[in-house]
Amino acid sequence: MGEYIFGFLEGELKQNYYGSLCTEMYEILHEQAPQDELDFYLSYAENGKKILEPLCGSGRFFVPFLERGFDISGMDLSGEMLAKLKQKVPDAKVIQVDIIDYVVQEQFDYIFIPSGSISLFTDMKMCQGILQKMKGLLAPGGKFVFAVDTIFDRCEEESNYKVNVSVKTKEGYDLILKGKNHYDEKSQTQFSPSIYELYHGAELLQRETMDFQTHLYQYGEMDEYLRRCGFKNISVYSNYQKEPAVNDQCKMFIYECGI
């Protein structure tokens, strides 16, 4: 049965925590970073400068930076995701910690958070605390670059679970993702509770639930949070070609700012 254990994950999972089955599917579907997105974030990197990728996950951005010789550190809450990263680069400078609790005695010249991951923080007070944390970790003259999802990216309402993705693991098992969606207009939160199931034929080997939520941003909303935290020289783009965002009719806002 390989590395899998028969049984169910009991108890309440932390919001947006990437467990073992979620990590397995993520690796199958997103092992490599999209080239245009990777090139965009690499364009800010310089040799001899310290780089930090919070929320580095299983390393689809982190590893290419490391392979190019950049001095990069990372952190993530998911031990399952970091284990995958460590399989790829055992000596990677990464630690398992909640981003709000991340404390180091150094500053970084470049901090980046790709793939809209900041949208995973749906409590706006916590999100602003994280932005303040990033400001404290940024060296003078450094850049903080990240992306968030927009309200244009909201999903259609679905009241019942349905199979969204089905993949084969390397062991030949079927790994299935079931999900549904609800968007709360007032909080701008996309709720997408998910169920991951691993099958060997008709036999259910493992089930894992995920409380997946994202905050979808309106145009100008994040800009205000950044200004409150003291960030300056704020640029916002609608794509990786750095076309300026002029409204929220785009799937993401990409921010570049300093202190």
Side-chain angles (χ1 to χ4, degrees):
M1 293 294 178
E3 61 184 289
Y4 298 110
I5 303 170
F6 177 77
F8 298 89
L9 223 62
E10 297 291 343
E12 197 171 313
L13 288 180
K14 187 176 179 68
Q15 178 182 321
N16 293 328
Y17 186 86
Y18 285 61
S20 61
L21 294 185
C22 176
T23 296
E24 187 74 17
M25 180 168 281
Y26 191 91
E27 278 290 280
I28 293 169
L29 297 177
H30 309 293
E31 184 179 6
Q32 304 292 329
Q35 195 62 50
D36 59 341
E37 190 178 3
L38 176 60
D39 290 343
F40 174 83
Y41 288 104
L42 281 169
S43 71
Y44 291 91
E46 297 179 37
N47 285 316
K49 301 291 187 179
K50 287 186 176 181
I51 301 170
L52 174 67
E53 186 190 359
L55 314 177
C56 61
S58 58
R60 64 179 185 149
F61 288 89
F62 187 99
V63 174
F65 272 74
L66 204 59
E67 290 173 341
R68 288 162 174 78
F70 292 116
D71 181 5
I72 185 168
S73 301
M75 54 75 50
D76 203 280
L77 179 61
S78 172
E80 290 87 345
M81 291 289 271
L82 288 180
K84 292 289 185 181
L85 191 158
K86 283 285 195 175
Q87 288 175 13
K88 302 166 190 174
V89 279
D91 58 347
K93 294 190 294 184
V94 295
I95 62 171
Q96 182 183 359
V97 66
D98 195 319
I99 187 171
I100 203 69
D101 299 323
Y102 181 65
V103 178
V104 292
Q105 301 303 313
E106 61 181 321
Q107 290 183 311
F108 299 88
D109 303 290
Y110 171 38
I111 300 174
F112 72 100
I113 304 178
S115 305
S117 293
I118 284 186
S119 289
L120 296 172
F121 301 99
T122 56
D123 181 318
M124 292 298 98
K125 285 187 178 179
M126 177 183 287
C127 182
Q128 290 178 68
I130 290 166
L131 295 175
Q132 200 69 53
K133 170 84 69 174
M134 296 301 103
K135 180 174 177 280
L137 290 169
L138 198 62
K143 286 192 175 180
F144 177 35
V145 184
F146 65 95
V148 297
D149 298 330
T150 77
I151 58 173
F152 184 77
D153 205 31
R154 61 183 291 181
C155 298
E156 290 185 15
E157 198 79 9
E158 296 171 332
S159 56
N160 298 313
Y161 283 96
K162 69 174 186 178
V163 175
N164 293 326
V165 185
S166 179
V167 297
K168 285 280 188 183
T169 70
K170 61 181 181 294
E171 295 86 358
Y173 302 146
D174 294 302
L175 179 54
I176 294 169
L177 167 60
K178 299 175 181 177
K180 59 182 180 178
N181 295 295
H182 168 68
Y183 181 68
D184 181 71
E185 294 276 0
K186 185 177 180 181
S187 65
Q188 295 167 223
T189 303
Q190 180 76 56
F191 294 92
S192 302
S194 304
I195 301 171
Y196 294 84
E197 293 180 337
L198 185 72
Y199 288 92
H200 183 205
E203 180 187 4
L204 176 64
L205 302 179
Q206 188 176 348
R207 175 182 288 144
E208 180 178 286
T209 60
M210 185 180 188
D211 178 17
F212 191 72
Q213 303 178 22
T214 51
H215 181 81
L216 305 186
Y217 284 83
Q218 295 182 6
Y219 180 69
E221 182 183 355
M222 174 56 80
D223 308 51
E224 180 60 29
Y225 296 151
L226 290 170
R227 282 191 289 267
R228 285 183 203 167
C229 290
F231 284 100
K232 300 176 181 177
N233 303 318
I234 301 168
S235 297
V236 55
Y237 309 118
S238 61
N239 55 40
Y240 301 118
Q241 289 71 50
K242 293 191 174 183
E243 294 179 15
V246 296
N247 54 40
D248 47 31
Q249 296 303 296
C250 53
K251 289 194 172 185
M252 73 182 83
F253 296 134
I254 308 167
Y255 285 88
E256 172 190 327
C257 54
I259 53 175

